[in-house]
Amino acid sequence: MRERFIRFMQGRYGGDQFGNFIVIVALVLLVIAFFIPSYLVKNIFHGIVVLLLIYTYVRMFSKNHEKYARQNQRYLKYCGKIKRVILKKKENAAQRKTHRIFRCPNCRQAIRVPKGKGKIAILCPRCDTEFIRRS
Ligand SMILES: [Zn+2]
């Protein structure tokens, strides 16, 4: 039995990160469906969950490695982008406590200056325009 299963899985794509992601989405939809009072909407959600799970099995048992590996790469690339955006937002939030960002009135360049220094003259590094702001 075990051997037959191993032989069956030979050359098949198997699991990957995107596959795991689809399963998580399906589980989340299942939990949301649990709280939906309308039977019609609940059934639509259940239908989507079943389709998603069928799709993960199709991917797992497929012998078209190239297609699903490419799909997974796209997914990982997208995850990386989202992670970078979140990281940038966190950095900006941390900086807002100690710094202020001003825009150059001439060229719109963003310039970061330390907070709480009173009125200061800011020199734009891009176009050399000087302007006064309270930091
Ligand atoms: Zn400027």
Side-chain angles (χ1 to χ4, degrees):
M1 183 63 208
R2 207 180 120 77
E3 242 164 67
R4 264 170 71 184
F5 179 72
I6 290 170
R7 210 174 315 134
F8 173 74
M9 284 308 287
Q10 234 162 38
R12 296 187 191 269
Y13 183 66
D16 62 8
Q17 293 92 338
F18 186 58
N20 296 341
F21 173 71
I22 298 172
V23 172
I24 290 169
V25 169
L27 289 177
V28 169
L29 289 179
L30 206 59
V31 171
I32 293 172
F34 183 77
F35 293 102
I36 293 174
S38 153
Y39 273 103
L40 177 68
V41 180
K42 202 192 273 281
N43 282 334
I44 290 171
F45 269 65
H46 285 162
I48 294 170
V49 168
V50 169
L51 288 178
L52 285 175
L53 292 180
I54 289 172
Y55 183 60
T56 54
Y57 276 100
V58 167
R59 289 180 90 250
M60 265 167 77
F61 296 142
S62 166
K63 292 190 171 176
N64 189 348
H65 289 228
E66 206 184 307
K67 177 182 170 187
Y68 294 117
R70 220 183 307 126
Q71 195 182 46
N72 193 49
Q73 284 307 315
R74 267 204 306 272
Y75 164 72
L76 290 177
K77 208 172 136 190
Y78 191 66
C79 280
K81 259 187 206 161
I82 291 174
K83 268 184 201 155
R84 274 195 296 280
V85 167
I86 291 172
L87 209 68
K88 187 95 193 130
K89 282 225 157 88
K90 271 189 187 162
E91 269 177 28
N92 283 349
Q95 277 192 2
R96 220 164 290 144
K97 287 185 185 134
T98 54
H99 291 81
R100 281 195 73 171
I101 309 285
F102 291 109
R103 289 249 170 224
C104 168
N106 187 41
C107 71
R108 308 294 300 153
Q109 165 79 38
I111 302 160
R112 196 184 67 143
V113 296
K115 238 179 181 175
K117 302 278 181 206
K119 260 191 180 172
I120 51 169
I122 300 162
L123 184 69
C124 174
R126 192 155 122 195
C127 70
D128 283 338
T129 302
E130 202 179 71
F131 56 101
I132 312 281
R133 291 286 184 278
R134 186 177 295 279
S135 76

